[in-house]
């Protein structure tokens, strides 16, 4: 009798574990028909802050392919992720990132309970889970610092597929080292330069046409459509986003960088 109960108990544990795995897989794999890049560091919602660990975790669970993170530098040279130059909006401190040390910054708590992440912490979490798009918000062209950025991407096996929204100052350094965002006009100008390679760039815009997409495909250039809240000006931003999404999807685009509130526009039902 005791032996039978033991067997039943084991079977129940196995069943519960299997059910848990199925539920986890259900949560992790969203039915996206496209490759989505989460703007501002992951899935941002009413309880989850941008560029936070929780936002990254939710991006993984929801099935995103990549996250866009905002790269900045502290006063003492630590690479961190934060969208704004100033910390007031997200952390209630009226000070620029560049005016504070990492020790000072690491003690801050955001409005949603989040902490500021080091760039390396983000890469460590994303390894094997999410690709990386970097929005470089660091002024100047510190080649030693930017070499460190490349080395960290390589350390966490995220270098080969990384993308960057760069700055004019750092373009010369990063060209040929990481794919840089361009408009079609910029790409056509770059094609006229010596040592041009299509693998150095990607087309990045919120207004890519079917002709643009076909042109990029013909020239072996990755194309990424964009839907970001800051660019939507109507009183009904969700409807505006849907119109924009439908237009971009009709071009043949596969990759999209979006604010996560719009990801339902890229499921099988939309």
């Amino acid at each position: 009798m005791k032996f039978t109960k033991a067997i039943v108990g084991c079977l129940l544990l196995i069943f519960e574990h299997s059910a848990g795995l199925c539920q986890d897989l259900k949560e992790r794999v969203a039915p996206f028909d496209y490759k989505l890049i989460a703007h501002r560091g992951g899935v941002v919602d009413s309880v989850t802050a941008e560029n936070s660990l929780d936002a990254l975790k939710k991006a993984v669970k929801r099935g995103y392919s990549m996250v866009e993170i905002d790269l900045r530098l502290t006063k003492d040279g630590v690479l961190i992720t934060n969208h704004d130059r100033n910390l007031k909006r997200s952390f209630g401190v009226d000070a620029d990132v560049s005016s504070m040390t990492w020790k000072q910054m690491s003690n801050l708590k955001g409005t949603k309970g989040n902490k500021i992440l080091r760039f390396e912490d983000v890469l460590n979490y994303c390894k094997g889970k999410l690709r990386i798009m970097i929005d470089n918000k660091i002024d100047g062209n510190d080649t030693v610092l930017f070499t460190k950025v490349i080395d960290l991407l390589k350390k966490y096996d995220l270098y080969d597929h990384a993308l960057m929204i760069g700055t004019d100052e750092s373009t010369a350094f990063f060209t040929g080292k990481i794919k840089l965002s361009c408009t079609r006009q910029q790409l056509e100008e770059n094609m006229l330069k010596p040592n041009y390679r299509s693998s150095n760039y990607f087309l990045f815009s919120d207004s890519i046409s079917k002709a643009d997409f076909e042109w990029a495909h013909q020239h072996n250039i990755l194309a990424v459509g964009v839907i970001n809240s800051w660019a939507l000006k109507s009183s009904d931003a969700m409807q505006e986003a849907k119109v924009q999404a439908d237009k971009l999807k009709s071009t043949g685009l596969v990759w999209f960088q979006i604010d996560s509130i719009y990801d339902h526009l890229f499921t099988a039902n939309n």
Side-chain angles (χ1 to χ4, degrees), residues 72-214:
R72 292 193 180 276
L73 190 68
T74 67
K75 183 179 180 179
D76 54 341
V78 177
L79 292 162
I80 61 103
T81 60
N82 194 69
H83 183 272
D84 297 356
R85 183 183 296 272
N86 189 279
L87 295 163
K88 187 172 184 178
R89 178 178 66 89
S90 297
F91 293 91
V93 177
D94 190 8
D96 286 353
V97 170
S98 60
S99 71
M100 296 184 69
T101 65
W102 168 244
K103 184 176 180 179
Q104 292 171 320
M105 205 170 294
S106 63
N107 291 321
L108 299 179
K109 183 175 285 190
T111 55
K112 297 177 181 177
N114 56 297
K115 305 283 283 184
I116 293 176
L117 298 178
R118 296 182 308 158
F119 178 56
E120 187 165 4
D121 295 331
V122 173
L123 300 185
N124 185 40
Y125 177 78
C126 290
K127 179 179 180 178
K129 304 183 188 79
L130 294 163
R131 296 182 184 182
I132 293 290
M133 171 187 277
I134 299 170
D135 188 350
N136 178 23
K137 296 180 180 295
I138 299 173
D139 296 330
N141 187 28
D142 186 336
T143 58
V144 174
L145 176 69
F146 292 149
T147 297
K148 181 179 179 180
V149 171
I150 296 295
D151 288 343
L152 285 171
L153 286 168
K154 291 179 178 178
K155 177 181 177 180
Y156 292 97
D157 300 326
L158 292 165
Y159 177 66
D160 290 343
H161 301 289
L163 305 178
M164 176 176 281
I165 303 168
T167 65
D168 290 340
E169 296 168 306
S170 64
T171 293
F173 174 82
F174 282 116
T175 299
K177 298 181 179 70
I178 190 169
K179 282 185 186 291
L180 294 171
S181 64
C182 290
T183 63
R184 177 167 175 175
Q185 181 180 342
Q186 289 171 328
L187 285 165
E188 289 175 334
E189 291 171 356
N190 288 335
M191 286 178 176
L192 302 176
K193 298 177 182 179
N195 302 318
Y196 165 81
R197 295 177 62 188
S198 61
S199 58
N200 291 346
Y201 309 101
F202 66 101
L203 176 61
F204 187 66
S205 174
D206 60 1
S207 57
I208 295 173
S209 66
K210 185 174 180 62
D212 292 332
F213 173 77
E214 291 176 349

Side-chain angles (χ1 to χ4, degrees), residues 213-243:
F213 173 77
E214 291 176 349
W215 174 86
H217 183 71
Q218 178 185 351
H219 289 89
N220 198 31
I221 298 169
L222 173 68
V224 180
V226 182
I227 303 179
N228 292 162
S229 294
W230 65 266
L232 303 178
K233 306 300 182 183
S234 73
S235 57
D236 190 348
M238 188 59 73
Q239 178 58 30
E240 186 180 355
K242 186 179 188 310
V243 171

